[in-house]
Amino acid sequence: MRETPKPTVQSVKQKYERSVQFNTELGLYDTVRKNENFFIGNQWEGVEANGLPTPVFNFLKRIVLFQVATITSDNIAMQASPLASTSRYELWDIDQITDVINKQFASIFEQNQLVGQIREFMRNAAVDGDGCIYTWFDPSIENGQDVKGEIVTEIIENTRVHFGNPNNRAVQEQPWIILSRRMMVDEAKDMAEGNGVPKETWEKIAPDQETYDNKFDAMTDDKVTVLTYLYRDKKTKTIWKYVCTSTVEMQEPTDTELKLYPIVWLNWDYVQDNYHGQSMITGLLPNQIFINKLFAISMISLMTTAYPKIVYDKTRIKSWDSRVGAAIGVNGGDMNAVARIIDPAQISPQIAQFIQLAQQMTQENMGASDVALGSGNAYNTSAIISLQRAAAVPTESVKQNLYRCIESLGRIFIDHMRVFYGTRYVQVNMNIKQEQMPLGIQIPNQDFNRAFDFSILKEIPVSIQLDVGASSYWSEIATQQTLDNLLMQDKIDLVDYLERIPNGYVTKKQELIEKIKGQMQTVMQPQTATSMPPLDTSTELPVKGGSGYGELQRAINETGVVQ
């Protein structure tokens, strides 16, 4: 097998420039800039209005935010489950390991505020066409462990992600991936110095210009483009990392030991033979422009013809006095023919009808109907849920793609744990196997703090299952009503009810749960003690005779007492 060529500053720069040329010919940079402007409401950029009205009725933003809120959920959580009979470890042992992984997932989600990042991830996909999450390990984060560092995730724009094969959107099949960033020059120098680059080399790092038109970046002059080159080595089958600018090497090729590219990539809508997708906004821009133009023309018409005008005879009136209550002199003749008021022109009602129809049909085709947006009337919970589900049908494929991406993100997390975590103290579920306990005694689940070597993940295949819960308002009401009915029918106890009730309904919910559990344990202990039958001491126990001490045994057998 041929060896993977060692990257250099020049080779990485050439690959980056070819990728930028591909995106330029694709029109990516212009499309992203235009879509971003329309999303934030800057919809008349580049138009010389010359004082004429430029109204903006930004219904696109409402649609995008509604779709993102519908697809994402506050209750997203990853659940690791073992693949049985695929390891030399017993299933019970693997369950303990997956319990540790699940707790690490929860910690990573909380530390990186992943719920908010996922919303930004989906917002970028809806507006720009693609979303990207980049994962890396920061060894400088203090965590109280012998092995410092934590997993970090960040959102990267699609204009700064470059695939080695631009005709394939599959991340793990790429020969290489380049991430381009605009970094402060001093920050880039510190990074190169921290990587062991000689001073005479990193001092050559100087400001440069963005390779494509970026008006905000052009306002600064102290930034440099830093290229992170990730590639899969053909020999080791692992991901290697190389960092440089267009002129200076900032980090020599390093084996990360990762098996997966630490990147999650999502297209809002697929485009065949292209790693960039189609955004939701791109196809709706003509509708937004049509509505804005109709409003602008209607405003111009109202400003010029909406108010009545007065026509008067200049041969009889020298000048018209528009002051309130002012007298107007007339040179004789019939007063009825002196002046006349011209009625204002009427605007066709079809204009308002077309504006409303265009907006309504656009929203309905995107699943953002009036009822789904909260403008309609629904008189019971079942009707609301039915309408909500029907409105979510157009985005079902996007939602499934999001779940797939988060599953990939979980595999990337496990890959990082395996390589970088080392041995750490974690909370481990040490519940004893129930079949090993005598008399059917059951021991409650207990977590203990102990050292855990994450390198064991190399030997244990783990499948990632995604548990996603809806967080919309009406889904919470339906959940609340269902839990109320189960509690009233004694199908669940109070602890189960409190653990499943949506957040925000009960203050200090966890404290209340712990208090109720303590009360239940206190009540159960006396019952356990009194439930055992009393020992009957009136019944004489038979004494079995045997060799030795014959007189004592005969005395007990004959009289029942010892003489």
Side-chain angles (χ1 to χ4, degrees), residues 3-18:
E3 294 185 358
T4 304
K6 183 179 180 180
T8 62
V9 173
Q10 190 63 27
S11 65
V12 173
K13 179 182 177 181
Q14 291 177 355
K15 292 177 179 178
Y16 171 66
E17 290 177 345
R18 287 200 302 268

Side-chain angles (χ1 to χ4, degrees), residues 62-78:
R62 189 185 187 194
I63 295 177
V64 170
L65 296 180
F66 169 78
Q67 296 284 26
V68 171
T70 302
I71 294 171
T72 58
S73 171
D74 290 334
N75 299 325
I76 291 180
M78 285 183 291

Side-chain angles (χ1 to χ4, degrees), residues 75 476 479-481 483-484 487 492 494-507 509-510 512-513:
N75 299 325
E476 289 187 357
T479 301
Q480 180 68 35
Q481 292 179 345
L483 290 174
D484 290 342
L487 182 64
I492 59 175
L494 186 57
V495 174
D496 292 330
Y497 175 82
L498 292 174
E499 287 177 342
R500 290 162 176 80
I501 193 173
N503 293 328
Y505 286 82
V506 178
T507 58
K509 182 174 69 173
Q510 190 59 36
L512 181 59
I513 292 175

Side-chain angles (χ1 to χ4, degrees), residues 246-289:
S246 59
T247 57
V248 178
E249 179 179 282
M250 297 177 57
Q251 180 181 345
E252 62 181 10
T254 305
D255 186 4
T256 64
E257 301 183 23
L258 297 173
K259 299 293 185 182
L260 302 174
Y261 282 110
I263 289 176
V264 172
W265 184 259
L266 172 69
N267 302 134
W268 183 267
D269 198 3
Y270 296 137
V271 176
Q272 295 297 333
D273 297 329
N274 190 356
Y275 80 101
H276 288 296
Q278 177 85 356
S279 74
M280 179 175 65
I281 281 186
T282 299
L284 304 181
L285 290 184
N287 297 13
Q288 180 70 68
I289 294 173

Side-chain angles (χ1 to χ4, degrees), residues 420-450:
F420 300 111
Y421 269 25
T423 300
R424 299 189 175 197
Y425 284 92
V426 296
Q427 293 290 323
V428 181
N429 189 336
M430 299 297 293
N431 187 26
I432 302 175
K433 300 179 183 179
Q434 299 299 332
E435 61 270 16
Q436 295 180 353
M437 296 302 298
L439 302 178
I441 299 176
Q442 294 186 355
I443 304 297
N445 292 335
Q446 297 182 10
D447 290 341
F448 294 91
N449 194 32
R450 76 165 197 177

Side-chain angles (χ1 to χ4, degrees), residues 27 43 51 64 77 99 109 115 162 174 209 220 224 272 323 346-347 359 372 503 515 554:
Q43 301 180 356
V64 170
D99 180 68
F109 263 72
V115 172
H162 309 270
Q174 296 299 319
Q209 297 295 324
T220 61
V224 61
Q272 295 297 333
R323 293 178 300 170
Q346 299 292 328
I347 298 179
Q359 180 174 348
N503 293 328
K515 183 178 179 180
R554 283 194 297 271

Side-chain angles (χ1 to χ4, degrees), residues 42 117 242 252 279 313 386 441 462 466 495 512 524 557:
N42 186 18
Q117 286 191 352
Y242 177 75
E252 62 181 10
S279 74
D313 187 354
S386 299
I441 299 176
V462 179
L466 185 63
V495 174
L512 181 59
M524 289 297 295
N557 293 335

